[in-house]
Amino acid sequence: MSVFDSMKHAVHTVFKETVEAVTPVSNVSQFRDKGVLTPEEFVAAGDLLVFKCPSWTWEAGDPSKARDYLPKEKQYLVTRNVPCHRRADGLASSVREMQMEDAEDGEWTETQAVGGKAVGGAAGSADVEDIDDDEPDAPPAQTAAGGAGATMDVESEAAGKAEAEDVPDLDDLELEDEGGVMVPADPSALPTGGAAAAAGGGGEVREASSDFVRTRSYTVSITYDKYYQTPRMWLFGYDEDNKPLTHAQVFEDMSRDHAKKTVTIDPHPHMPSVSQASVHPCKHAPAMKRIIDQIESTGKTMRPDQAMFLFLKFISSVIPTVEYDFTMDFDT
């Protein structure tokens, strides 16, 4: 994020907090019309998420930061130890590689088809001679065949003698010290002795592959944003040694299209002095509205208490490698 964007974000945060302080809470449901939630609908949606996905729980948070329009014991939702096995860029690279492989497979199939046409086309048939043209010259052809056969016999005999000379005497073979039995080299075996020292130093086996990615984990929480009237997601990550991730490392697990744009670093509203990565909620309501319209176009009716599943569904495109639990069944 540039300096200008950082200043713009800071000014907007102050403006947003001021508006929230003076604006009353809306209790009119506009979920199906605008994709927004009232605090009561947020709590109902959270209750259904906790019921369907027990890895999610309600938290009270810091009492000094509690919102009076939410129950004291249900200030925000949280799930812990959420695995993140791959980086977002690695996932995008895998998709590109699969697309390239599909393209290569298509080219190979096309090449084979073109080859088939060349073999069966006019060019191939032009090289085939008419058998009737050779009948008057049959005796010379037979003589030529006989000469060719004699020549082949001489060459075969010479080749046989050469092969016999190439076979070494058993007494000339140098056998390994394995009871007089030749032991072939195994290319998959670990190096030993000097070879091991040359490969890894002191015969120690080095770590196998630099492509190995160790698993990270995240604590994921969902709060209610009064200004935008939508859920808001927060993420705090840990590396494989359970040490907190830096902000730069957290952005590695975000979609490149959203990192440092819709994903920002802000203070958590219910935790003192803790800044976390957050998916900014400015576009959440329009995204929710689009999904609602798509589902209802199939004849189903969406309820406000199902909103959390819709929210987690579209947020997964922002953090595609963070594997939090949510359900796709809207017939609940």
Side-chain angles (χ1 to χ4, degrees), residues 10-321:
V11 171
H12 176 73
T13 300
V14 174
F15 170 77
K16 176 173 170 291
E17 291 175 350
T18 303
V19 173
E20 286 182 345
V22 300
T23 303
V25 176
S26 175
N27 294 316
V28 179
S29 178
Q30 295 179 309
F31 173 67
R32 296 178 63 189
D33 297 330
K34 296 183 178 181
V36 297
L37 295 173
T38 66
E40 292 80 6
E41 291 172 338
F42 173 79
V43 173
D47 287 342
L48 184 59
L49 177 65
V50 170
F51 175 75
K52 296 289 291 185
C53 305
S55 60
W56 291 91
T57 58
W58 282 107
E59 292 285 335
D62 185 356
S64 64
K65 295 180 175 294
R67 293 344 191 218
D68 56 5
Y69 49 81
L70 294 172
K72 291 183 178 180
E73 71 282 2
K74 295 182 178 182
Q75 292 288 303
Y76 67 99
L77 293 153
V78 66
T79 180
R80 297 179 174 85
N81 300 317
V82 179
C84 179
H85 298 288
R86 304 178 65 180
R87 307 292 76 80
D89 281 347
L91 181 63
S93 298
S94 298
V95 172
R96 286 194 298 270
E97 289 174 1
M98 292 175 64
Q99 292 173 343
M100 291 176 64
E101 289 176 359
D102 291 342
E104 290 174 358
D105 291 342
E107 291 176 1
W108 172 254
T109 304
E110 184 177 355
T111 302
Q112 291 293 89
V114 171
K117 291 181 181 178
V119 171
S125 61
D127 295 334
V128 179
E129 298 180 355
D130 192 350
I131 297 177
D132 295 337
D133 296 339
D134 294 336
E135 286 183 355
D137 300 329
Q142 292 175 0
T143 304
T151 303
M152 293 176 62
D153 292 340
V154 173
E155 291 178 352
S156 299
E157 183 178 354
K161 291 180 179 180
E163 291 178 359
E165 292 176 358
D166 292 339
V167 177
D169 193 351
L170 289 177
D171 296 334
D172 296 333
L173 294 177
E174 295 181 1
L175 302 179
E176 302 289 340
D177 295 334
E178 294 286 346
V181 179
M182 175 67 74
V183 180
D186 184 0
S188 63
L190 291 174
T192 57
E204 296 181 357
V205 179
R206 293 178 295 178
E207 188 169 341
S209 173
S210 59
D211 296 332
F212 180 70
V213 180
R214 300 178 68 180
T215 301
R216 294 174 175 178
S217 63
Y218 277 87
T219 295
V220 182
S221 59
I222 302 174
T223 62
Y224 179 76
D225 191 287
K226 180 183 175 183
Y227 182 83
Y228 291 103
Q229 301 179 36
T230 62
R232 182 173 185 176
M233 178 173 283
W234 303 79
L235 302 104
F236 193 85
Y238 302 88
D239 64 15
E240 57 274 6
D241 297 319
N242 206 33
K243 296 179 181 178
L245 297 176
T246 64
H247 294 163
Q249 289 175 317
V250 171
F251 284 125
E252 293 175 354
D253 297 323
M254 308 294 164
S255 166
R256 183 178 297 180
D257 295 334
H258 300 89
K260 300 183 181 180
K261 296 176 184 178
T262 56
V263 179
T264 58
I265 304 297
D266 292 298
H268 194 284
H270 296 283
M271 300 180 187
S273 304
V274 177
S275 292
Q276 299 186 11
S278 174
V279 183
H280 201 272
C282 57
K283 301 293 180 65
H284 287 3
M288 295 267 281
K289 173 60 176 171
R290 284 195 299 270
I291 300 177
I292 293 171
D293 291 343
Q294 291 173 1
I295 294 176
E296 292 194 338
S297 67
T298 64
K300 299 180 181 178
T301 301
M302 295 302 301
R303 306 190 311 267
D305 64 343
Q306 297 171 318
M308 211 62 73
F309 303 119
L310 301 180
F311 172 73
L312 293 174
K313 176 181 173 63
F314 77 77
I315 287 295
S316 63
S317 65
V318 181
I319 46 175
T321 59

Side-chain angles (χ1 to χ4, degrees), residues 3-13:
V3 175
F4 175 76
D5 290 337
S6 298
M7 294 178 61
K8 181 179 178 180
H9 177 66
V11 171
H12 176 73
T13 300

